[in-house]
Amino acid sequence: MGSKLTHLEGALSKARYPADELANLDQADGRPLLARYDLEEAARTLSVASLAARRTGGVWRWAELLPVRDREHIVSLGEGGTPLLAQPRLGRALGVPHLSTKVEGLNPTGSFKARGMSAAVSRNMELGANSFIAPSAGNAAGALAAYGAAAGAEVTVVVPADAPPASRHEALAMGARLVLVEGLISDCGRVASTLAERLGAFDMSTLKEPYRVEGKKTMGLELAEQRGWRLPDVIVYPTGGGTGLVGMWKAFAELEALGLIGPERPRMVAAQAEGCAPIVRAHEAGKRFAEPCKNARTRAAGIRVPSAVGDFLILEVLRGSGGTAVAVDERSISEMQLFAGHLGAGYVSPESAAALAAVPELRERGELDPDEEVVVFDCGIGQKYPPPPGLPDPPAVDPADYDPDLLAEQLGLRGRGGRASYNARAGVWQSGRMRWS
């Protein structure tokens, strides 16, 4: 059991490059590079039976399809192996009873970024890097800081000044150098690029090196295994840089080549915020590349990405799968955080809420049937973000002097502490202006 990595390939140019040296973008066109494997050789040891015997290891159970050659270089904090949870209450409320969420907030750093950073730090350390830098909207900064610390590497992260405080604190607590930029993640990327050479740091920006996507693709590998090697009808994914969307599509192709799944594919849906929706606009216009979004704004920091270097790969996935892209407004994101929480999906991040809010939009557009099996990627925990607006103020009492009857009455009037409720007369669930049967 070991990596079957053979070479790197230009995602657009198709030029071939050696895999055993540090690499960022394609020298031919400045586009992403993708790792390629000897899948015939991988099939000799990667099978349904062999995977069943690998009861532990998370992401690294899939070693043949990951880039690290020597397992001694693996930097792991227990990432991967996240549950696929049925969401019957939320699904019924949204009109799709067969709804499930892949709960990525259970990764070590509270988001799916842990997968990509585990693979990228491991492989690039194996190739000789010992200092890393990356721009981030928040979660990637914490993940790189964590895996860099575990590897004994220097880490510098560059984030917007208004990034969620928890992510900034997380990076600092794990010894990373933190730079705050008055701007968006695109501005952070330019700062990180100029700093990289001066600091002697390897640039780990999204899709500007070939191995974060390899860690992210394990979401697709796990999803297939968890569903008995049968993919869902639809996958909804909160999309900023799009690494996970691109990675899962790559994973499905590799699994088919291994004979573990057939040619059927889910319709892939990119969920974005109305205030930053370059992929939605490009998809609607039928363009191959997306125009950068001007004045990008959304409280879902992880999808506030004005321009993605892998935009053409994301759009290829959407069109190749017969999928689509959906933009949801800010109020829907905030209300869905409360709605999902009330109906048992947990305290999801704003990005996850955006993906969940895309579901009723798809139903309304006639692009999602009620009997279809839908998986929404819950990419991270809500605890790492400022709380959604609209949370009620709890009553405060003096334990030595309070009226229990009055307190009970107050709690009864407040209901269960939020705005999502079932209107029996109308036969709908509602949260604020959102109403679903």
Side-chain angles (χ1 to χ4, degrees):
M1 185 177 99
S3 177
K4 306 306 176 186
L5 178 68
T6 56
H7 63 283
L8 302 177
E9 180 182 84
L12 189 60
S13 73
K14 305 305 179 186
R16 182 173 176 134
Y17 298 95
D20 290 314
E21 56 189 50
L22 290 168
N24 285 111
L25 293 170
D26 188 342
Q27 299 170 14
D29 57 13
R31 301 285 180 180
L33 293 170
L34 298 174
R36 299 302 184 193
Y37 300 83
D38 184 339
L39 297 176
E40 183 176 344
E41 184 65 23
R44 299 180 188 277
T45 54
L46 191 63
S47 65
V48 173
S50 68
L51 283 165
R54 302 174 191 178
R55 296 184 179 275
T56 61
V59 160
W60 297 98
R61 293 172 65 238
W62 306 87
E64 292 90 340
L65 301 182
L66 290 172
V68 175
R69 298 199 188 280
D70 184 345
R71 292 187 64 85
E72 290 187 3
H73 289 283
I74 291 176
V75 183
S76 177
L77 298 174
E79 60 290 329
T82 59
L84 178 66
L85 299 183
Q87 299 291 350
R89 295 186 67 216
L90 181 58
R92 285 194 298 270
L94 298 182
V96 282
H98 306 295
L99 173 70
S100 298
T101 53
K102 183 82 163 124
V103 187
E104 290 295 298
L106 294 181
N107 276 298
T109 58
S111 85
F112 55 6
K113 300 293 185 181
R115 294 176 183 267
M117 288 305 182
S118 176
V121 169
S122 297
R123 178 56 176 162
N124 288 309
M125 288 285 288
E126 184 175 41
L127 294 175
N130 58 18
S131 178
F132 300 103
I133 190 169
S136 169
N139 282 322
L144 180 55
Y147 285 90
E154 290 186 346
V155 169
T156 305
V157 291
V158 186
V159 306
D162 63 354
S167 295
R168 303 200 306 263
H169 301 157
E170 180 184 22
L172 289 169
M174 288 182 286
R177 297 176 292 201
L178 176 68
V179 178
L180 301 179
V181 174
E182 296 292 344
L184 303 172
I185 191 171
S186 51
D187 303 302
C188 296
R190 286 189 286 273
V191 173
S193 180
T194 59
L195 276 178
E197 185 174 348
R198 291 165 175 80
L199 295 175
F202 184 76
D203 191 345
M204 296 276 268
S205 300
T206 299
L207 284 172
K208 289 188 178 179
E209 63 78 49
Y211 301 118
R212 281 177 66 179
V213 68
E214 295 304 292
K216 284 283 197 75
K217 83 179 179 187
T218 60
M219 294 187 294
L221 300 175
E222 287 180 9
L223 179 63
E225 184 184 24
Q226 288 169 322
R227 288 180 47 85
W229 308 106
R230 184 178 56 84
L231 300 178
D233 297 304
V234 178
I235 289 175
V236 184
Y237 188 85
T239 303
T243 311
L245 198 73
V246 172
M248 283 192 286
W249 197 246
K250 184 175 185 288
F252 299 153
E254 291 172 356
L255 288 175
E256 183 181 0
L258 293 172
L260 295 176
I261 64 171
E264 299 80 12
R265 296 288 186 274
R267 302 195 304 282
M268 307 293 280
V269 178
Q272 297 196 300
E274 278 189 353
C276 186
I279 298 301
V280 175
R281 308 299 173 233
H283 181 72
E284 291 174 345
K287 294 182 178 180
R288 188 177 188 187
F289 301 97
E291 293 291 328
C293 176
K294 297 179 180 179
N295 303 314
R297 61 194 185 281
T298 174
R299 62 181 290 267
I303 55 175
R304 192 178 64 172
V305 180
S307 179
V309 68
D311 55 358
F312 68 101
L313 291 171
I314 300 168
L315 291 163
E316 283 176 6
V317 169
L318 300 184
R319 291 170 183 143
S321 68
T324 190
V326 178
V328 298
D329 61 38
E330 290 300 296
R331 186 172 175 183
S332 295
I333 291 172
S334 295
E335 290 182 348
M336 183 55 79
Q337 276 191 282
L338 301 181
F339 194 75
H342 277 69
L343 294 183
Y347 186 14
V348 302
S349 68
E351 296 85 358
S352 301
L356 287 166
V359 173
E361 177 69 20
L362 291 167
R363 289 282 290 120
E364 187 173 325
R365 284 163 40 168
E367 297 183 65
L368 185 60
D369 294 331
D371 60 344
E372 290 192 295
E373 296 179 341
V374 181
V375 173
V376 173
F377 272 78
D378 174 10
C379 61
I381 55 174
Q383 290 91 333
K384 295 182 74 171
Y385 299 79
L391 294 178
D393 294 323
V397 300
D398 179 349
D401 181 20
Y402 75 100
D403 184 338
D405 293 326
L406 177 60
L407 179 58
E409 181 181 351
Q410 290 175 327
L411 293 173
L413 289 173
R414 292 173 185 272
R416 295 180 64 187
R419 300 188 298 178
S421 60
Y422 185 69
N423 185 326
R425 179 173 296 178
V428 296
W429 286 91
Q430 59 190 49
S431 174
R433 62 177 179 166
M434 305 176 80
R435 292 163 61 91
W436 300 295
S437 59

